[in-house]
Amino acid sequence: MVSLCCRVFAVLALTASVMGLTAQAADVSPSKLSGSQDDTPVLTLHGPEERRTLSRADIESVPLHATTLQHFAGPHGRFAGVWLKDLMAAQGIDETATLRFIAHDDYTVFISPEDLQQQDYLLVTRLEGEPLTLTDFGPTMLIVPAEAEAVEAGKASMTHWIWSIRAIFVQ
C-alpha cells in the first residue's frame, strides 16, 4: 500500500513540477561520508550462474558520491550512493549486460548497455547521510542526476528511476 501511495505521489509531484516549480541542481561530487559497515543484506544480485545478497557495506565498498536534488517522487536533499558502473565493476558484472531492477512492489526497470553509455546512474543508499529504509524509498534507489532537472520539469522520462530496489538481475 505504501508503494502504491508513493507511485501516486510521484505522479502528483511530476504534475506539479510541470506546472512550473523549479528544480534544484544535480551536480555530483565525491562524498565525505565513510562507507557503511552494515553487513545486513539489502538487495539480491542475480547473475547468470549465481545469486548473492549485497549489504550496504558491499555496495558502499566503492567510492561514495553525493548530489543535492529534488526527487520527482517527493524526497529532497543530499542523496549519496555509488555510481552504477563502479558497482558493476566491483561485482564483476560485464558492462555489456542488461540489468533488470525490481522494486519491493514488483515495479521493474531495465537498464541496457546503451543506457549505461548514455547516462551515469547513481545507486543511492543514503539521504542526508542516513541509510535509506523501506519507509523512505530504500533500501536503495536508482537515479540519473544529470536528468534530475529535466525529469522534475517533465521534459525527460523518469522510466529509469526506481526506488525500494530489492533485486538486480544481470541478463
Side-chain angles (χ1 to χ4, degrees), residues 22-60:
T22 59
Q24 298 177 10
D27 294 327
V28 180
S29 59
S31 174
K32 295 178 182 178
L33 296 171
S34 297
S36 175
Q37 300 301 310
D38 185 354
D39 287 327
T40 306
V42 294
L43 64 86
T44 304
L45 181 62
H46 299 264
E49 299 179 21
E50 71 173 310
R51 181 178 96 177
R52 63 184 179 266
T53 58
L54 296 181
S55 66
R56 195 172 313 277
D58 293 328
I59 295 167
E60 293 183 1

Side-chain angles (χ1 to χ4, degrees), residues 7 41-45 54 59 84 100-107 109 111 122-124 132-134 137-143 160-169:
R7 302 269 183 232
V42 294
L43 64 86
T44 304
L45 181 62
L54 296 181
I59 295 167
L84 181 57
R100 178 181 177 206
F101 292 80
I102 302 174
H104 281 272
D105 66 357
D106 292 326
Y107 180 79
V109 165
I111 304 294
L122 191 67
L123 185 66
V124 175
L132 292 176
T133 65
L134 277 174
F137 297 84
T140 61
M141 69 169 56
L142 190 66
I143 65 172
H160 287 143
W161 295 54
I162 182 172
W163 55 86
S164 297
I165 301 168
R166 68 173 168 84
I168 303 172
F169 285 80

Side-chain angles (χ1 to χ4, degrees), residues 15-16 20 48 52 54 56 58 61 71 79 82 93 95 113 135 148 159:
T15 303
R52 63 184 179 266
L54 296 181
R56 195 172 313 277
D58 293 328
S61 68
H71 190 288
F79 293 82
V82 302
I93 300 170
E95 62 187 37
T135 58
T159 57

Side-chain angles (χ1 to χ4, degrees), residues 62-86:
V62 296
L64 285 163
H65 290 79
T67 184
T68 300
L69 59 84
Q70 170 68 54
H71 190 288
F72 69 87
H76 64 283
R78 191 87 174 146
F79 293 82
V82 302
W83 289 120
L84 181 57
K85 288 179 185 176
D86 290 349

